[in-house]
Every structure is written in structure tokens, then in C-alpha cells.
Amino acid sequence: MKIISVVGARPNFMKIAPFIKAIKKHNNNHQENEVEHILVHTGQHYDDKMSKAFFKELNIPDADINLGIGSGSHAEQVGNTMIAFEKVLRDEKPDWVVVVGDVNATLSCSVTAKKEHIKVCHIEAGLRSGDMQMPEEINRLVTDRLSDLLLTPDTMSIENLRNEGTAEERIKFVGNIMIDTLENNRDKASKLGIPDVLADNLLNFRSFNLQAVENIFALLTMHRPSNVDKKEVFEPLIRFLLDEVTRDMYLIWPIHPRAQKQLKDFGLWDDVMKNDKMILLHPIGYHAMLRLNMSAKVILTDSGGLQEESTVLGTPCLTLRWNTERPVTLREYGGASVLVGNNVERIRKEYNEVLKLERKKTRPPLWDGNTAERCLREILAYFKI
Ligand code: UD1
């Protein structure tokens, strides 16, 4: 059997690493029935810190093929990926294309594969935010509509697919593959020292009281267009963080290129750089982020993956969004996160509440570190139905 798996942007790398490991393990144990695997990187994320660093850290082999798509509008990224990926499919003629998550690579490659009559498997199927303003929601809907095999991370995703009329035999519950990566890397991350994480990644060089940082800090990630693309939304958020959060504790912000650019365009960059309790970092690696997450008093984030990791690690999480495709991570379902949107009053209220909370770990069903093997098993079993 020949499988092409696809990655494009940063959140894909943690999802593909355990899948590739599962293929290697299968090939070692079943030499008569080996899986031929080709890894395609669309090249959407190309900076060393957004891409190469993760391959190295997570032991992902170099991509066999890089489509070199780079930055651009959504139509440019999707269109260029489809044109390049179609050639790959015609040359390689795989039995399966495996896509993960919800980025532009997920959409482009699933559509292209279906048009070439190649089976598509979607890992992390069935997540729905209901928010059609999110490019990721469009990517999820199209990919799930087309995929032959829908591998779901939680039971709510199964319900979403059923409600859309998806045939039962296409849906398999495998658990959350991100948690495989978390478990595979937990030991390594916990051995990192916070001072080293900061020293290795500092963007605004300044002296700060390391002991005070280690005692209590907040962790921030923010990059979604809905938060950073409009000044009238982004500026009040930044003012709240600078004027209120940094009054209580240090705030560590590994900053995404999109957010950095917007701060500069909106004239907010100097204020952020000047604040002596704001520790700005370059985009950090997987282990560094896991290490900070393990000790943060609170996380403020608009990332989907961090909502999941915080739930398993028990870090109180304020999700800077009005909706989530990952309700299983919400406090009302036992998780660590609460939706606060981007309204400062609401964020302030929940922030003050969250400071009183202790860490509380939860593990939804099948978030057990063995999801990748179940994914591969479902693909191998498909034709035996
Ligand atoms: C993409 C994903 C999003 C994911 C995020 C994680 C889609 C639709 N969105 O959004 O789901 O949460 O990745 O990072 O696929 N840039 C660089 N260096 C890079 C890559 C990008 O400087 O290596 C810059 C680009 O020039 C662009 C900005 O960052 O201006 C945004 O990049 P883009 O790939 O368009 O989407 P993300 O916002 O990263």
C-alpha cells in the first residue's frame, strides 16, 4: 500500500509525527505487508522557526516533496497547491492521501486527491465551530464532505458528522493524535529550564527577574485574523494585556509572524516592546511551548491545539474566541478552557476568576497517546470491510 501524507503549516507537524512513527513500527513488524510512505510539505509555512525546527524536534523525516507554495491569499495558496499536488499524484499514484487538521493544505490536497479518484483519509475529522468566517471551518467542511475515512478525535465530532448525514461506515473514533505527540515529548519538555527557554528565544532583549517569572507568569498566543487583523479589535486587547495582565505577573508571548506584522502596521509595536513585564519570544519550538504550558498560571490563546494541550496539562485557559470547534476542552465539559471572545470586559471578568483556580487535568476518551496506531489500523482495515 502506498500512502501520501500531507503537511503545510505549523499545527500539522505535531499531528503527522506520530503517524509516521506508527508507519515505521508497522513496517518493522510486517515486512511482508509494508506501507510505502511519501511525505509532502506544501511549503505554506517555510520559516525555520515555523517549520524546519519542528521537523528536527519531533524527528519527522525531511519531506520527500516540497511544493514550495509559500505565503499568499487563500485562493493563491489553495490554487497553487492543487496545481502542484495534482502532478505529484499523477506521478506517484498513491492508494491513499492522508490529510490532518484544518489548514489550507488539508483542503487543497483532499480536493485534488478526490478529483484523481484517490482515497482520502482525514485525521481530526468532524470538528465544527459553526463559524463560517474562519478559513479553517471551510477547510474542515469541504475535507470531511469528501473524505472516505473520517478519523475523529472525540465523541462530539462523531455527532457532528452524523448530524450532517455522513454514512456511519466512514466514521471511526480514534482519539486525539496531538496527545500522542504530547505524551511522546512530555519527558523531554519537562527537563527544560524556563530560563533557558526564555534565553534561547528572546525577541526583546531586556533584564527581568527570573525568579519572579518562574513563580508566576501568563502565556499568550494570538494570531487569528479575527483578533489581529482589525486595529479596533487588536488594540484594546493589547492595552488590556499591557495595562492589566502585566500588572499582576510577567506575560510571555511567543509571537506569530502575522501578529508581529499587525502590531507594527497599527503602531503598537513600540508599546509592546517597551513594557518591562512583557517577554516577547520568537515563534518557539514544541518542547519549549509544552514546558511553558506546564507551568503557566493562565494561558490566553486563540490556538486550537493549545486548548487541547491545556486540558490534558490542566492549565487554566482563556480562549480568545467566541466559539470553538473543540468544545470537549471547555470547562463545562470538564476541560480547562473558557471562551472569552475578544471583548475586554468579558476577558477581564474571566481572567480575574481564573486566577483563583488550581490546575485541573482532564483526559477525554482515547486521548491516550495511542491514536496514531489506531489511525493506521483503520486505513489498513478499510479495504477489508
Ligand atoms: C495558518 C493556518 C491556521 C493555523 C496557523 C498556525 C490556514 C487557513 N491557517 O495560519 O489554521 O492556526 O497557520 O500558524 O491554513 N509567515 C511567515 N513565515 C512563515 C509562514 C507565514 O512570515 O513561515 C507569514 C506570512 O507571510 C503571512 C502570515 O505569516 O503574512 C500568515 O501566514 P499564513 O500561512 O497565511 O497563515 P497563518 O495565519 O499562519
Side-chain angles (χ1 to χ4, degrees):
M1 176 177 299
K2 185 166 178 176
I3 298 177
I4 289 188
S5 57
V6 178
V7 290
R10 186 171 59 179
N12 290 162
F13 308 137
M14 327 35 171
K15 294 171 193 164
I16 219 62
F19 183 67
I20 294 176
K21 193 170 159 211
I23 293 179
K24 270 196 200 136
K25 185 173 169 194
H26 167 89
N27 285 348
N28 285 338
N29 296 336
H30 301 88
Q31 277 155 9
E32 71 299 343
N33 182 21
E34 277 202 10
V35 170
E36 186 185 347
H37 178 247
I38 295 174
L39 179 62
V40 172
H41 190 330
T42 66
Q44 176 178 345
H45 284 178
Y46 44 85
D47 282 355
D48 282 0
K49 286 184 164 48
M50 297 293 284
S51 177
K52 204 170 166 187
F54 288 85
F55 275 66
K56 206 164 152 226
E57 245 186 321
L58 301 177
N59 286 322
I60 306 172
D62 285 346
D64 300 290
I65 299 168
N66 191 316
L67 306 180
I69 298 307
S71 297
S73 71
H74 285 270
E76 283 165 344
Q77 285 185 340
V78 170
N80 290 334
T81 303
M82 288 181 70
I83 293 166
F85 192 58
E86 186 183 60
K87 296 192 180 85
V88 171
L89 293 179
R90 288 184 179 173
D91 287 346
E92 298 294 343
K93 300 185 178 30
D95 301 294
W96 282 94
V97 167
V98 173
V99 293
V100 295
D102 54 19
V103 303
N104 286 338
T106 316
L107 166 82
S108 331
C109 295
S110 56
V111 175
T112 313
K114 279 315 284 178
K115 283 180 176 276
E116 291 295 303
H117 307 146
I118 294 164
K119 294 269 179 257
V120 175
C121 168
H122 183 203
I123 299 181
E124 205 186 76
L127 297 182
R128 295 290 181 269
S129 67
D131 179 356
M132 293 299 282
Q133 298 294 313
M134 279 184 85
E136 294 81 6
E137 184 73 354
I138 300 166
N139 295 345
R140 291 181 204 114
L141 280 166
V142 175
T143 302
D144 285 347
R145 185 70 186 84
L146 296 180
S147 294
D148 299 277
L149 193 48
L150 295 160
L151 303 180
T152 58
D154 54 47
T155 52
M156 291 178 182
S157 307
I158 302 175
E159 284 311 310
N160 291 337
L161 292 169
R162 282 183 183 147
N163 291 339
E164 289 169 10
T166 310
E168 202 64 33
E169 61 271 18
R170 286 167 60 209
I171 309 171
K172 303 287 172 195
F173 178 33
V174 293
N176 188 342
I177 202 161
M178 289 274 284
I179 306 306
D180 289 24
T181 302
L182 189 153
E183 295 305 342
N184 290 337
N185 291 279
R186 190 193 275 270
D187 284 352
K188 214 166 182 180
S190 59
K191 291 194 182 100
L192 289 179
I194 290 178
D196 294 330
V197 169
L198 301 185
D200 291 349
N201 296 288
L202 266 188
L203 196 153
N204 56 342
F205 181 77
R206 63 172 75 261
S207 59
F208 44 79
N209 180 340
L210 255 181
Q211 193 53 53
V213 179
E214 285 195 86
N215 285 346
I216 182 168
F217 67 88
L219 180 61
L220 168 71
T221 81
M222 181 163 50
H223 71 282
R224 299 241 171 242
S226 55
N227 284 332
V228 307
D229 279 8
K230 285 200 192 109
K231 188 175 182 187
E232 62 271 26
V233 175
F234 199 23
E235 182 164 17
L237 288 173
I238 293 296
R239 296 281 167 229
F240 167 75
L241 296 164
L242 294 181
D243 299 343
E244 301 185 42
V245 176
T246 63
R247 214 175 41 202
D248 298 333
M249 60 188 103
Y250 278 97
L251 176 59
I252 302 179
W253 187 6
I255 189 164
H256 186 284
R258 174 193 284 274
Q260 188 172 153
K261 177 177 173 298
Q262 297 302 84
L263 284 175
K264 288 178 181 159
D265 286 358
F266 297 151
L268 298 167
W269 180 247
D270 289 346
D271 287 353
V272 172
M273 289 289 273
K274 263 194 332 239
N275 184 304
D276 58 9
K277 299 280 281 300
M278 169 71 94
I279 304 177
L280 279 182
L281 305 182
H282 292 284
I284 55 177
Y286 184 78
H287 293 124
M289 183 58 99
L290 199 53
R291 178 65 192 89
L292 294 179
N293 194 345
M294 285 171 179
S295 294
K297 175 67 188 163
V298 53
I299 291 198
L300 300 105
T301 187
D302 57 14
S303 142
L306 274 169
Q307 288 170 51
E308 298 177 336
E309 288 158 353
S310 307
T311 289
V312 170
L313 297 174
T315 319
C317 173
L318 298 181
T319 298
L320 300 164
R321 291 176 49 191
W322 294 109
N323 49 56
T324 178
E325 61 290 337
R326 295 166 162 89
V328 73
T329 65
L330 295 178
R331 233 186 276 155
E332 62 228 66
Y333 295 104
S337 121
V338 53
L339 292 177
V340 293
N342 47 25
N343 170 290
V344 168
E345 262 174 51
R346 174 148 174 71
I347 299 171
R348 179 183 297 119
K349 181 175 162 288
E350 291 295 340
Y351 166 75
N352 286 322
E353 286 300 309
V354 117
L355 293 186
K356 299 176 206 150
L357 294 180
E358 296 299 323
R359 304 179 79 80
K360 184 177 157 285
K361 301 178 187 179
T362 329
R363 204 176 274 278
L366 297 191
W367 290 28
D368 59 359
N370 298 316
T371 291
E373 291 189 15
R374 285 190 286 270
C375 291
L376 183 60
R377 213 178 301 142
E378 293 297 347
I379 294 171
L380 295 172
Y382 184 88
F383 289 112
K384 295 183 192 140
I385 291 172

